[in-house]
Amino acid sequence: MSEAASVATESTFEILRESGPQSDAGFLWDFWYPAIKSDAIGGTRLVTAMLLEVPLVLGRTSGGKAFTMRDACPHRGMPLSYGHFDGKNVQCSYHGWEFDACSGRCVEIPSLTSHDKLKVERISADSFPCEERDGYVWVYMNAPGSRLPETIPATPELPKFSAKYKITRLDCELPSHIDHGIIGLMDPAHGPFVHQSWFWRSKKSIHEKSKQFEPMPLGFRMSKHSPSTNSAPYQLLKKMTGEAVTTTIDFVLPNMRFEEIHSGKLWFSSRATVTPVRRDLCRIDFVAAWNLALPVAIFRAFAKVFLRQDQQTMIQQAEGLKYNPRLMLIDDADRPAKWYFGLKQNLLESRRSGAPMVHPMDGPVTLHWKS
Ligand code: FES
Ligand SMILES: [Fe+2]
């Protein structure tokens, strides 16, 4: 090979490394992420999912416990999801190695004879901590090659405020990087343009708003306030109870937006998570619970309209983002987005240095915008 050719090869490799699967995709590891809905697993079914570009295989043991492994056999990489599951062990379809589904530990290598000294139990498929909450299977995604921390934080749960309630789940995929998915979620200024509907608001209803925000661990809160007067559902709620309506909205790393609405004894609680599937794809999982006299089917019909409007917008935005245009974040409407980037950066910095995490907000602050 000529010298010129070898140089070209090396620089090509550099480019591949920068844009290829080895470059940092901007994911936040060491957090819980929802992988699939609980009702997707059961029996001897093996189900696949992808989180943070890690292919996963999930299932449920005959004892009812959900499990998650990397969907690759530690022998020669065959996806374990092509294998056989008997309710306890997963058997790889290629050479029949068997793994305990919950721990990933190898329990059988069929090709071994009495001449072999290989310790089967020292071999493991990668397994991930996995818990079910609110009808989702959550997976704790520790960074590849890193050890699990000694204590894993509690799995996120949707707050509920009475014993009886209705609950429903919706999801939609966004062809976007996780950061664009998340700042879309906390962006107050798109409402009157993207979510114009007779039942919500129109462009004409735009008016100036002031909202107080306060820092919270790994996130920030839009302090308890009376929600926008230009939204019909809130006015209806007030009429129903005769009591003031209050709402609180939290954003918490890595990807969660919680909203709580209360009026007298009535409550509505929702959580949207934006989960990175790949660097160019994320998924919104939206779960809502309430004790209002609101039929699930009606709520779903409205929520679907909203999600579809957001999804359509993100599909169009992805077109614009394809060729790396210049972007800007403005005050005050994009300040929450700036906090998100600040939180993310400061968390990574504190993990790197071991020093406590610095919060990007000094204290409570009031933001002003029109929407
Ligand atoms: S690749 Fe799985 S047993 Fe060989
Ligand atoms: Fe939206």
Side-chain angles (χ1 to χ4, degrees):
M1 195 195 287
S2 75
E3 209 176 311
S6 83
V7 170
T9 310
E10 202 160 287
S11 61
T12 311
F13 184 69
E14 275 299 321
I15 293 163
L16 278 179
R17 196 158 44 206
E18 256 177 46
S19 61
Q22 302 311 319
S23 67
D24 182 25
F27 299 148
L28 283 179
W29 296 92
D30 300 296
F31 281 106
W32 289 99
Y33 290 96
I36 50 171
K37 291 198 198 91
S38 283
D39 58 14
I41 50 169
T44 54
R45 232 173 324 157
L46 293 172
V47 178
T48 60
M50 182 171 279
L51 291 177
L52 288 68
E53 297 185 347
V54 177
L56 302 171
V57 56
L58 300 101
R60 187 187 297 289
T61 65
S62 45
K65 173 94 183 77
F67 64 85
T68 306
M69 287 190 274
R70 179 183 262 270
D71 194 16
C73 177
H75 180 214
R76 299 248 294 280
M78 174 63 82
L80 289 170
S81 53
Y82 289 129
H84 179 260
F85 176 53
D86 64 3
K88 185 175 189 297
N89 298 331
V90 174
Q91 183 180 45
C92 179
S93 61
Y94 203 170
H95 312 94
W97 292 22
E98 264 182 64
F99 305 92
D100 174 73
C102 289
S103 66
R105 197 163 310 127
C106 188
V107 293
E108 174 77 23
I109 296 182
S111 64
L112 294 183
T113 68
S114 55
H115 299 276
D116 291 302
K117 293 203 179 59
L118 184 65
K119 295 254 187 308
V120 169
E121 66 281 4
R122 295 237 180 113
I123 298 170
S124 281
D126 287 337
S127 82
F128 294 86
C130 161
E131 292 282 343
E132 292 180 76
R133 292 278 185 291
D134 302 318
Y136 296 95
V137 182
W138 292 75
V139 180
Y140 189 81
M141 295 302 293
N142 61 307
S146 76
R147 277 171 176 256
L148 275 178
E150 257 162 52
T151 50
I152 295 176
T155 318
E157 186 161 2
L158 181 71
K160 295 144 204 124
F161 304 93
S162 57
K164 282 182 92 177
Y165 53 83
K166 297 191 180 77
I167 186 164
T168 191
R169 299 162 197 88
L170 291 151
D171 55 82
C172 88
E173 285 192 335
L174 306 174
S176 321
H177 185 268
I178 179 68
D179 290 341
H180 284 293
I182 286 181
I183 66 177
L185 192 74
M186 57 176 63
D187 165 17
H190 77 288
F193 298 91
V194 171
H195 301 299
Q196 286 177 44
S197 323
W198 60 267
F199 63 89
W200 192 245
R201 58 186 64 169
S202 69
K203 232 184 247 179
K204 273 189 253 138
S205 72
I206 280 198
H207 65 277
E208 193 166 320
K209 289 173 187 167
S210 302
K211 298 274 154 72
Q212 200 190 316
F213 288 81
E214 55 197 275
M216 55 186 287
L218 291 179
F220 50 87
R221 164 169 295 172
M222 186 192 284
S223 313
K224 197 168 173 179
H225 63 283
S226 298
S228 177
T229 47
N230 55 1
S231 303
Y234 296 125
Q235 295 189 7
L236 191 68
L237 189 57
K238 197 171 167 185
K239 281 213 184 88
M240 278 161 68
T241 62
E243 291 190 58
V245 181
T246 63
T247 173
T248 311
I249 300 174
D250 292 350
F251 173 79
V252 190
L253 283 182
N255 63 349
M256 294 181 279
R257 178 194 192 272
F258 291 95
E259 179 161 8
E260 257 175 47
I261 302 167
H262 295 267
S263 177
K265 284 208 172 77
L266 299 184
W267 58 270
F268 174 92
S269 172
S270 73
R271 179 191 59 220
T273 50
V274 189
T275 294
V277 177
R278 302 186 309 252
R279 66 196 67 198
D280 61 345
L281 181 69
C282 52
R283 189 187 64 244
I284 298 186
D285 289 296
F286 179 79
V287 55
W290 62 87
N291 72 341
L292 328 168
L294 169 64
V296 170
I298 301 221
F299 175 77
R300 288 180 68 86
F302 285 110
K304 271 186 196 163
V305 172
F306 264 74
L307 275 178
R308 218 173 297 132
Q309 288 166 337
D310 280 328
Q311 185 185 38
Q312 188 55 30
T313 305
M314 305 292 285
I315 289 171
Q316 292 171 341
Q317 187 195 19
E319 262 177 57
L321 291 173
K322 214 149 141 201
Y323 301 103
N324 284 319
R326 268 186 320 127
L327 304 173
M328 60 177 87
L329 295 171
I330 65 161
D331 283 331
D332 279 352
D334 294 331
R335 192 85 70 84
K338 292 184 186 177
W339 291 332
Y340 162 68
F341 286 114
L343 284 164
K344 193 174 167 181
Q345 195 179 326
N346 296 1
L347 172 73
L348 292 173
E349 183 50 37
S350 101
R351 283 180 176 177
R352 225 177 345 251
S353 66
M357 179 181 160
V358 181
H359 200 288
M361 299 167 74
D362 298 329
V365 49
T366 303
L367 301 186
H368 310 272
W369 69 79
K370 277 162 82 176
S371 70

